[in-house]
């Protein structure tokens, strides 16, 4: 009997991906444990063309000793463009037992030589300035059976494709968002089922999107270019292997259609009177004019297979309440703040004009509150043509909202007139929290919804106002929590490339990625929102790749971005005060080599509660942390000498940090401003900048500071992620729970008590008396403060990793706060980890699940070794490195432990 079986076979992070490029083909699987402690001792992987047998392998790894199961790079014969492949696995268990070959999984290669794109031409509407979304079409004939039809496509702008009246894909906002001046993402779709024998039609619609549309508070348009263009190649393969192509070129025609305007920020206007009925079907006849397209050769654009995950519609929300605010104006509450749009379904007379406006909160007199959207109009309009039932969703816009104002409806709208549709990047769910305190479950739900609403092609700051940018600091602060809730490996694979694209050659890192550029004549000018940033923002360049590596075990991420990481640190090095490792920032520490560069922005401990942290503390602390990340990367990549250099540099920064900022009584105080702050202590402790014997004093001052604020946090984006991890690491678990369970300002409980269904940008986003706070910067869907949820997984439920990719897991729940039970499930790359605890009187019960090919340290909160049982029988334990705990080690399997608490 085999003890293990390979399951969840993934290639390039996905199940059965299409359109891969060389280098992207890497295999991962989970090891299903068929018995306790099951682990993999060897593996064999075979790859063959999908239409051949495995006797015709293009790669056979042979039996390979080891526990490797993640990101195994293809190492066989050259893979062929457009070819479908199958792959299968056989595993050996710890005792040498052998599994069967598993059912094959699939992947398909795409365009391997970019010159292939020259087969097609970029097409655009002759009137470049057309406000309406241009539609394009052509017909083509097919004789005989097509066994494989695939559409390769990209666009400058957003694009949707249809073939024979059907959408090619449910994916939204194609081709995605990158710095288009550097790389254009392309996609590949299987359209075999849409193509028919005989006459066919293919069509597409373009919209401005990020490429040309209005972006940010600066109202910049034409960020990357003024012309919207589509590029597509439909590849038709017959059973005999012959191939035909239908590509965008002069043979297509174009017309403006019913989408009068579509803007990410402002919304979409649809006039059904202008519908092009049958446009994507063969035989389209119209009295309206079509125009020849303008076609342009493909130049040397870097067109690259999109590496992330698709943006899709994922959840629906029905209204939980509705009311008539004034005659003809109805407001619907969807019960959850999220990103997306609504589906309108109504029986309405022709000529009806329905207007939908979107808001996150209400004013005290129950109107929708839109001031915090700043200039984003967030309004969708539908103009009905004929009497009858219509179903409509916009194609090229999204909003961040919970409330919808509907006007123009004749009479009383039915309850189901609108349905909320959540749209975001599809990152598979990976984590769930449970807790006897409903407030903490609500906090987790608020964080996860804020994450989902902001993970749309890039990890953005907010989904509602005229901003929606990939702010680096926010992404960095929240990443570990993001990983707990969702599988973001592929999403970050893509975004780390955006980040690297946005870095300056001298190592400075961007505030946001992708960085916006605007076209001036033929030149692309980086827009001001593409400025550079340092401490905590710029350090996304070092912290994010390291975190992704730690959690997913993908060494290639470090390999790929090692240059970005070390260049960033190198910039830090060049900006230290002469003779020290302290970073004061400009102009105090001009670059010694006389180099002049634009100063990267320091945002400080952004949005802290009246408690700034001296800039030099933040600057120096993040310098140290970035060096530590580079040291880890160098070590993992086998660059021993470089690792050694980083390690020494880290020591030197620590020494200077202590000398410069640590007072004789152990406080951490700035020089430019002699102030202490919670964040100052948190950085010093989290980043291990103090000697062991210096830590207790820092902890004492930190706790005193929290108490002096009537047991409240004062941390901003920079310090907050470390607040609870540091407190519990240094024996302050009860204080963690006190802070977590607070209900008054500033706290998570305050937001929840005020009806929050998401995480607010500011602790005082809403006042009891005055309603919404300062409209200039007051998003109700900013995830940074949701970074506390990392602790709910790692400490409240107790699931953390001790070795990269959870090869070794630690289960160590922290009991407190009057909770009687808590737990979490986290599906890591190896499989599902579960920890659920209960406290019944003094009896502590822990249910644990450990996936195959992993081991776990189980730490039980007792000092009474004799009370520990595993499934009713006493088990031996050893002393834990955590006071008050006993420890034992287990392998894969499900367990129930009990002990006497305390
Ligand atoms: C964004 C933030 C961002 C910040 C930089 C804001 O406008 O919404 O989340 O990190 O600017 O300070």
């Amino acid at each position: 009997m085999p003890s293990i079986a390979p399951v969840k076979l993934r290639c390039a992070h996905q199940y059965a991906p299409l359109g891969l490029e060389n280098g992207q083909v890497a295999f991962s699987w989970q090891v299903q444990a068929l018995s306790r402690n099951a682990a993999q001792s060897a593996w064999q992987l075979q790859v063959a063309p999908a239409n051949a047998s495995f006797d015709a392998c293009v790669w056979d790894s042979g039996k390979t000793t080891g526990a490797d199961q993640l990101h195994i790079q293809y190492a066989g014969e050259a893979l062929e463009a457009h070819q479908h492949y199958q792959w299968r696995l056989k595993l050996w268990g710890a005792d040498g037992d052998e599994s069967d070959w598993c059912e094959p999984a699939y992947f398909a290669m795409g365009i391997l030589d970019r010159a292939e794109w020259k087969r097609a031409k970029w097409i655009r509407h002759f009137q470049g300035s057309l406000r309406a979304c241009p539609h394009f079409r052509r017909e083509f004939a097919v004789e005989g059976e097509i066994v494989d039809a695939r559409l390769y496509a990209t666009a400058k702008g957003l694009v949707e494709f249809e073939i024979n009246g059907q959408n090619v894909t449910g994916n939204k906002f194609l081709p995605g968002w990158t710095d288009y001046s550097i790389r254009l993402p392309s996609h590949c779709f299987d359209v075999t089922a849409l193509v028919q024998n005989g006459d066919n039609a293919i069509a597409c619609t373009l919209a401005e999107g990020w490429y040309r549309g209005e972006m940010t508070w600066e109202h910049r348009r034409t960020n990357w270019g003024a012309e919207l263009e589509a590029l597509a190649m439909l590849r038709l393969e017959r059973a005999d292997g012959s191939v035909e192509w239908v590509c965008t070129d002069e043979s297509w025609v174009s017309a403006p259609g019913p989408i009068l305007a579509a803007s990410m920020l402002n919304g979409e206007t649809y006039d059904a009177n202008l519908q092009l009925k049958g446009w994507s079907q063969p035989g389209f006849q119209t009295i309206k004019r079509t125009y020849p397209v303008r076609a342009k050769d493909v130049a040397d654009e870097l067109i690259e297979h999109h590496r992330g995950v698709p943006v899709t519609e994922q959840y629906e929300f029905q209204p939980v309440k509705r009311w008539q605010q004034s005659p003809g104006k109805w407001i619907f509450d969807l019960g959850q703040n999220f990103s997306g749009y609504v589906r309108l379904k109504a029986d309405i007379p022709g000529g009806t004009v329905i207007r939908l406006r979107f808001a996150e909160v209400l004013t005290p007199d129950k109107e929708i509150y839109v001031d915090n959207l700043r200039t984003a109009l967030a309004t969708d309009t539908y103009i009905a043509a004929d009497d009858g039932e219509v179903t409509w969703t916009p194609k090229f816009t999204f909003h961040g909202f919970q409330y919808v104002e509907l006007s123009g409806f004749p009479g009383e709208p039915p309850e189901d007139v609108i349905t909320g549709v959540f749209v975001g990047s599809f990152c598979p769910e990976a984590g769930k929290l449970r807790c006897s305190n409903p407030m903490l479950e609500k906090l987790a739900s608020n964080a996860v919804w804020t994450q989902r609403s902001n993970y749309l092609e890039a990890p953005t700051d907010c989904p509602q106002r005229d901003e929606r940018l990939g702010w680096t600091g926010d992404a960095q602060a929240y990443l570990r929590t993001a990983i707990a809730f969702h599988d973001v490996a592929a999403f970050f694979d893509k975004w780390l490339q955006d980040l690297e694209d946005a870095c300056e050659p001298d190592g400075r890192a961007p505030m946001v990625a992708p960085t916006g550029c605007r076209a001036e004549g033929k030149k692309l000018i980086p827009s001001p929102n593409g400025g550079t940033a340092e401490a905590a923002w710029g350090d996304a360049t070092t912290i994010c790749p390291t975190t992704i590596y730690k959690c997913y075990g993908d060494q290639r991420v470090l390999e790929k971005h090692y240059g970005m990481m070390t260049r960033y640190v190198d910039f830090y090095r060049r900006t230290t005060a002469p003779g020290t490792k302290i970073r004061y920032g400009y102009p105090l520490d001009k670059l010694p080599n006389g180099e002049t560069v634009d100063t990267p922005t320091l945002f400080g401990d952004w949005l802290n509660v009246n408690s700034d942290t001296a800039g030099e503390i933040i600057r120096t602390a993040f310098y140290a942390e970035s060096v530590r990340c580079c040291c880890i990367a160098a070590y993992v990549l086998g660059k021993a000498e470089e690792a050694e250099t980083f390690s020494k540099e880290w020591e030197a920064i620590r020494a200077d940090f202590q000398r410069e900022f640590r007072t004789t009584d152990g406080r951490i105080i700035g020089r430019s401003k002699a102030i202490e702050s919670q964040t100052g202590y948190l950085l010093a402790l989290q980043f291990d900048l103090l000697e062991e014997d210096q830590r207790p004093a820092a902890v004492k001052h930190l706790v005193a500071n929290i108490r002096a604020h009537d047991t409240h946090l004062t941390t901003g984006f920079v310090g907050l992620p470390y607040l609870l991890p540091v407190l519990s690491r240094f024996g302050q678990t009860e204080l963690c729970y006190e802070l977590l369970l607070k209900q008054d300002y500033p706290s998570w409980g305050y937001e929840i008590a005020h009806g929050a269904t998401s995480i607010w940008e500011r602790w005082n986003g809403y006042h009891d008396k005055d309603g919404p706070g300062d409209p200039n910067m007051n998003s109700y869907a900013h995830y940074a403060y949701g970074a506390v949820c990392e602790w709910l997984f790692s400490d409240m439920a107790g699931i953390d990793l001790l070795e990269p990719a959870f090869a070794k897991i630690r289960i160590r729940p922290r009991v407190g706060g009057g909770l009687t039970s808590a737990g979490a499930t986290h599906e890591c790359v190896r499989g599902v980890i579960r920890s659920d605890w209960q406290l019944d009187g003094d009896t502590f019960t822990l249910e644990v699940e450990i996936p195959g090919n992993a081991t776990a340290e189980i730490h039980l909160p007792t000092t009474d070794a004799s009370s520990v049982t595993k499934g009713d029988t006493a088990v031996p334990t050893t002393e834990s490195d955590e006071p008050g705990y006993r420890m034992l080690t287990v392998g894969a399997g499900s367990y129930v432990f009990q002990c006497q608490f305390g």
Side-chain angles (χ1 to χ4, degrees):
M1 261 299 276
S3 64
I4 54 175
V7 291
K8 297 209 170 179
L9 275 62
R10 296 201 283 181
C11 177
H13 302 294
Q14 295 162 60
Y15 298 104
L18 296 179
L20 297 185
E21 291 174 2
N22 280 326
Q24 289 183 337
V25 183
F27 306 99
S28 299
W29 57 90
Q30 292 185 4
V31 176
Q32 186 187 7
L34 302 173
S35 66
R36 277 250 166 112
N37 300 323
Q40 174 191 304
S41 64
W43 54 279
Q44 183 172 6
L45 196 158
Q46 291 182 336
V47 181
N51 54 10
S53 88
F54 280 99
D55 296 336
C57 273
V58 287
W59 185 39
D60 185 342
S61 69
K63 182 175 174 182
T64 309
T65 307
D68 300 342
Q69 63 176 118
L70 299 171
H71 322 294
I72 296 185
Q73 200 72 34
Y74 175 79
E77 291 168 28
L79 294 166
E80 278 176 44
H82 315 293
Q83 177 69 252
H84 284 277
Y85 291 92
Q86 53 179 334
W87 62 288
R88 64 177 186 176
L89 273 169
K90 175 189 279 241
L91 306 182
W92 284 262
D95 297 330
D97 50 290
E98 186 174 335
S99 80
D100 290 333
W101 284 108
C102 67
E103 284 299 310
Y106 296 87
F107 68 93
M109 300 306 285
I111 292 166
L112 301 185
D113 173 4
R114 280 192 197 114
E116 273 210 64
W117 284 105
K118 297 198 188 262
R119 193 178 279 129
K121 289 183 178 172
W122 288 104
I123 55 167
R124 63 181 157 91
H125 189 75
F126 78 95
Q127 212 181 350
S129 57
L130 189 71
R131 203 45 184 200
C133 292
H135 287 55
F136 303 84
R137 78 185 301 272
R138 76 157 270 183
E139 298 195 7
F140 60 96
V142 166
E143 259 177 57
E145 199 203 347
I146 297 298
V147 292
D148 183 22
R150 257 181 286 164
L151 179 68
Y152 293 96
T154 183
K156 297 179 181 171
L158 297 181
V159 70
E160 285 204 4
F161 277 88
E162 287 183 14
I163 292 178
N164 296 333
Q166 296 200 49
N167 281 338
V168 159
T169 169
N171 298 1
K172 308 296 298 180
F173 307 145
L174 294 168
W177 181 24
T178 56
D179 182 344
Y180 305 111
S181 66
I182 298 179
R183 68 190 73 237
L184 286 159
S186 69
H187 296 258
C188 175
F189 301 106
D190 183 349
V191 294
T192 315
L194 302 186
V195 174
Q196 61 199 20
N197 192 0
D199 294 336
N200 290 266
I202 178 167
C204 70
T205 309
L206 281 172
E208 300 186 334
W210 296 282
Y211 186 82
R212 186 179 80 180
E214 208 161 291
M215 278 182 74
T216 85
W217 60 93
E218 294 174 318
H219 312 290
R220 279 185 190 283
R221 293 176 50 77
T222 64
N223 284 285
W224 280 277
E227 304 284 359
L228 301 182
E229 295 177 310
L231 181 71
M233 305 196 291
L234 175 61
R235 181 182 185 276
L236 303 167
E237 186 178 329
R238 286 169 210 286
D240 65 5
S242 62
V243 169
E244 259 173 63
W245 293 87
V246 176
C247 300
T248 47
D249 58 18
E250 298 82 354
S251 65
W252 290 55
V253 293
S254 166
I259 307 176
L260 299 183
S263 141
M264 292 293 220
L265 301 181
N266 298 325
E268 194 160 310
T269 300
Y270 187 93
D271 184 350
N273 294 293
L274 303 174
Q275 262 177 85
L276 301 165
K277 281 199 185 115
W279 178 256
S280 67
Q281 277 162 342
F284 169 81
Q285 296 288 332
T286 180
I287 42 160
K288 294 189 188 81
R289 287 187 57 189
T290 55
Y291 304 91
V293 296
R294 296 270 157 91
K296 192 177 79 190
D297 285 342
V298 172
D300 293 325
E301 293 100 337
L302 174 47
I303 303 172
E304 201 181 67
H305 182 62
H306 184 268
R307 358 176 25 104
V309 291
V311 175
T312 55
E313 297 181 350
Q314 293 164 43
Y315 301 90
E316 296 200 343
F317 294 96
Q318 300 305 327
V320 293
K321 231 192 261 167
R322 66 165 187 163
W323 60 94
Q324 185 168 203
Q325 181 66 12
S326 57
K329 193 162 90 182
W330 292 80
I331 296 179
F332 292 77
D333 175 359
L334 289 160
Q336 174 63 54
N337 191 354
F338 66 96
S339 65
Y341 36 71
V342 295
R343 185 167 58 242
L344 176 72
K345 193 160 162 269
D347 202 343
I348 40 175
T352 305
V353 179
I354 293 206
R355 193 164 74 134
L356 298 156
R357 294 170 71 218
F358 299 84
E360 296 184 286
V361 293
L362 299 174
T363 64
D365 49 7
K366 291 199 159 266
E367 291 283 354
I368 57 164
Y369 176 74
V370 292
D371 293 1
N372 70 328
L373 308 184
R374 303 196 301 217
T375 64
L377 296 178
T379 304
D380 292 344
T381 306
Y382 182 86
I383 303 163
D386 310 317
D387 296 355
E389 175 145 323
V390 296
T391 305
W392 176 75
T393 48
K395 279 184 193 295
F396 299 115
T397 191
F398 71 97
H399 317 289
F401 66 103
Q402 174 171 342
Y403 299 93
V404 184
E405 179 197 276
L406 172 111
S407 54
F409 196 92
E412 182 175 339
E415 281 183 13
D416 61 354
V417 67
I418 57 162
T419 301
V421 182
F422 164 74
V423 178
S425 284
F426 181 73
C427 301
E429 280 183 39
K432 193 137 192 68
L433 283 158
R434 295 169 284 277
C435 178
S436 58
N437 185 319
M439 203 269 272
L440 295 184
E441 287 192 343
K442 184 68 186 157
L443 170 61
S445 157
N446 289 2
V448 81
W449 273 108
T450 310
Q451 170 178 346
R452 288 174 186 162
S453 302
N454 275 298
Y455 275 27
L456 199 157
E457 275 295 282
T460 63
D461 57 337
C462 57
Q464 74 298 83
R465 68 180 177 222
D466 53 0
E467 187 147 11
R468 313 186 192 184
L469 298 169
W471 278 97
T472 48
D474 307 40
Q476 178 275 116
Y478 186 78
L479 178 55
R480 194 59 185 81
T481 299
I483 292 171
F485 282 125
H486 281 272
D487 174 355
V488 300
F491 181 77
F492 266 83
D493 193 25
K494 179 220 170 250
W495 188 70
L496 288 175
Q497 183 65 64
D498 296 334
L499 184 62
E500 180 147 358
D501 285 348
C503 286
E504 299 291 333
D506 66 11
R508 281 173 303 148
M511 295 181 189
V512 299
T515 302
C517 293
R518 70 196 154 85
E520 242 171 45
K522 284 193 169 168
K523 269 174 64 192
L524 279 167
I525 311 290
S527 109
N529 68 51
T532 59
E534 57 151 294
W537 271 252
D539 301 79
T541 52
T542 54
I543 295 174
C544 293
T546 312
T547 308
I548 292 286
Y549 161 71
K550 275 191 195 159
C551 296
Y552 297 108
D554 194 351
Q555 200 172 309
R556 297 169 311 160
V557 171
L558 295 180
E559 251 155 44
K560 188 157 178 229
H561 299 295
Y562 188 69
M564 165 172 78
M565 297 172 72
T566 50
R567 278 192 298 276
Y568 182 69
V569 158
D570 202 41
F571 184 76
Y572 269 171
R573 284 176 184 153
R574 295 180 350 251
T575 55
T576 51
T580 79
K581 300 278 179 213
I582 302 296
R583 300 191 60 253
Y584 276 102
Y586 303 102
L588 279 178
D589 55 353
K590 286 215 178 69
L591 301 193
N593 61 4
E595 208 180 322
T596 51
V597 288
D598 291 336
T599 308
T601 305
L602 177 80
F603 292 107
D605 189 18
W606 188 246
L607 300 187
N608 64 73
V609 187
N610 305 320
S611 177
D612 281 342
T613 302
E616 59 274 20
I617 291 183
I618 303 181
R619 285 189 156 107
T620 308
F622 275 90
Y623 171 28
E625 189 60 4
S626 273
V627 166
R628 179 152 75 170
C629 289
C630 287
C631 180
I632 294 169
Y635 175 76
V636 171
L637 299 176
K639 301 173 190 289
E641 250 173 62
E642 287 172 52
E644 183 63 25
T645 310
F646 284 122
S647 167
K648 287 200 177 121
E649 186 173 358
W650 185 71
E651 290 289 346
I653 305 170
R654 291 175 83 227
D656 282 4
F657 184 94
Q658 293 161 18
R659 200 199 53 240
E660 197 86 348
F661 305 129
R662 192 177 169 273
T663 62
T664 41
D665 68 343
R667 287 173 199 276
I668 303 297
I669 294 216
R671 289 289 184 122
S672 62
K673 299 181 207 162
I675 43 174
E676 65 170 349
S677 67
Q678 292 174 15
T679 291
Y681 291 111
L682 293 170
L683 295 180
L685 291 162
Q686 173 79 18
F687 294 167
D688 296 312
L689 300 176
L690 302 177
E691 303 306 326
E692 223 172 309
D693 61 351
Q694 299 171 343
R695 293 172 188 167
V699 174
K700 189 184 87 193
H701 293 304
L702 169 63
V703 172
N705 186 301
I706 294 170
R707 293 294 183 205
H709 288 91
D710 192 22
T711 314
H712 284 100
L713 53 81
T714 61
T715 48
F717 284 22
V718 170
L720 181 117
Y722 313 128
L723 179 65
L724 302 195
V726 163
L727 287 173
S728 55
R729 175 176 160 197
F730 293 102
Q732 300 292 329
T733 295
E734 261 322 314
L735 180 53
C736 291
Y737 280 110
E738 270 185 71
L739 289 167
L740 258 181
L741 298 173
K742 282 260 149 188
Q743 302 264 344
D744 57 342
Y745 168 82
S747 68
W748 298 277
Y750 174 84
E751 299 184 1
I752 291 167
H754 286 76
T757 62
S758 48
I759 303 285
W760 300 350
E761 179 174 25
R762 293 168 177 272
W763 295 113
N764 56 355
Y766 202 93
H767 303 272
D768 285 326
K769 256 193 20 246
D770 311 328
D774 177 3
N776 285 318
M777 225 192 62
N778 193 23
S779 143
Y780 293 95
H782 248 66
Y783 47 60
Y785 293 149
V788 64
C789 291
E790 171 187 355
W791 189 88
L792 300 183
F793 279 94
S794 66
D795 290 79
M796 181 185 79
I799 300 176
D800 206 350
L801 55 80
L802 291 172
E803 282 175 18
F806 294 85
K808 188 160 187 192
I809 297 161
R810 183 178 65 200
I811 304 287
R812 189 186 59 197
R814 304 226 188 237
V815 181
L819 303 188
T820 51
S821 69
T825 313
H826 174 63
E827 181 166 1
C828 72
V829 264
R830 278 163 210 278
V832 173
I833 308 168
R834 185 169 79 86
S835 163
D836 273 294
W837 60 262
Q838 257 186 45
L839 189 61
D840 189 0
D842 278 349
T843 309
F844 179 86
T845 310
L846 178 68
E847 291 177 31
V848 169
E849 238 171 87
I850 303 299
N853 214 20
T855 59
E857 282 185 2
I858 312 286
H859 298 252
L860 294 157
T862 187
T863 45
D864 178 1
S866 67
S867 74
V868 180
T869 61
K870 181 170 91 177
D872 289 343
T873 40
V875 285
T877 55
T878 56
E879 211 163 300
S880 159
D881 50 7
E882 184 71 11
Y885 283 79
R886 300 291 303 173
M887 200 269 282
L888 73 160
T889 304
V890 298
S894 303
Y895 307 87
V896 181
F897 300 99
Q898 276 197 335
C899 65
Q900 180 81 13
F901 176 66

